[in-house]
Amino acid sequence: DPTFCEKYPSDKACRGAFAPLPMLLAVPWFNDFRGGFSMLGLGDIILPGLLISFAARYDAARDLVKKCTQTSTIRSGENDLDIAPEDVESSSSRYHYHFGRVQKALFYGYFGPLMIAYGIGLMVAYIVVWSTKTGQPALLYLVPACLGTVLFLGWRRRELSELWSGPVAMKKANKMVNVAKKIPAARPASSNVAESATMV
């Protein structure tokens, strides 16, 4: 019976690991004496989440490639690495450091703008449902918001063809990770000292 857990939610089969996967999330309305709510489907989270996770992976891969290229240029005297937070002395400099990192995460990549676009699309869908008092498909507002943000940012940064065919930064990052997995982990210095002491 598909409605068994709705009738008997306290049953063992409907709790813990045996509970069925929720297909709908209920978002209650504010100041509604009737107890109304809006329903958010699981697909409204998963489908835009695939695009958002791709954007997060692309940003992380690009940062990894950038850091590796920066560390390789240290030997030539060009040190452009970010300043560590413990190296910042004054409180105002520390504030500007953290504010710059938040600003970079929100506006200079793809993950931050996509999260903002997802929130705006969800808010617009909620406002339309509240104003019309009728159910609306959330993907009708989430897909243009998220996909339009990626298309606009990719077109403005001239990275649209790269995003479509496969980002080069992600391929380079995958190669770096595969090479790093083949490198054996360095043993701690204490074990090396103990081995040398036993050999003597």
Side-chain angles (χ1 to χ4, degrees):
D1 186 7
T3 62
F4 178 78
C5 290
E6 296 179 4
K7 298 176 182 177
Y8 309 101
S10 60
D11 192 85
K12 289 184 178 180
C14 301
R15 291 187 298 175
F18 302 100
L21 187 67
M23 300 303 293
L24 289 174
L25 298 177
V27 181
W29 291 350
F30 296 106
N31 298 325
D32 188 15
F33 66 94
R34 296 172 298 179
F37 57 90
S38 300
M39 293 183 295
L40 186 65
L42 194 63
D44 302 332
I45 302 173
I46 292 179
L47 294 179
L50 293 175
L51 183 62
I52 294 174
S53 62
F54 170 78
R57 187 184 176 197
Y58 175 62
D59 291 345
R62 192 165 55 178
D63 289 342
L64 177 64
V65 173
K66 182 180 178 181
K67 288 181 180 179
C68 290
T69 54
Q70 284 179 345
T71 52
S72 63
T73 56
I74 291 178
R75 298 176 182 176
S76 62
E78 299 176 0
N79 191 355
D80 296 333
L81 289 175
D82 295 335
I83 302 174
E86 55 269 10
D87 297 336
V88 180
E89 297 179 357
S90 62
S91 59
S92 61
S93 301
R94 187 174 299 142
Y95 169 77
H96 288 300
Y97 170 78
H98 291 294
F99 180 75
R101 287 186 63 89
V102 171
Q103 187 178 7
K104 179 182 178 182
L106 289 179
F107 300 108
Y108 289 100
Y110 286 91
F111 175 74
L114 267 178
M115 289 297 294
I116 295 174
Y118 183 84
I120 292 175
L122 200 61
M123 183 178 64
V124 170
Y126 185 82
I127 291 173
V128 171
V129 169
W130 176 76
S131 60
T132 60
K133 305 298 182 183
T134 57
Q136 297 285 333
L139 287 177
L140 184 64
Y141 306 93
L142 294 176
V143 170
C146 295
L147 200 59
T149 301
V150 172
L151 292 176
F152 174 74
L153 290 177
W155 169 76
R156 187 176 181 181
R157 299 171 183 174
R158 298 181 181 179
E159 298 173 347
L160 195 57
S161 60
E162 181 182 354
L163 290 172
W164 180 262
S165 60
V168 180
M170 293 178 67
K171 297 176 182 178
K172 290 182 180 179
N174 290 336
K175 291 181 180 179
M176 291 178 182
V177 171
N178 292 331
V179 171
K181 287 181 180 179
K182 296 178 182 179
I183 299 175
R187 290 181 296 180
S190 59
S191 61
N192 295 336
V193 173
E195 290 178 1
S196 62
T198 54
M199 291 176 63
V200 173

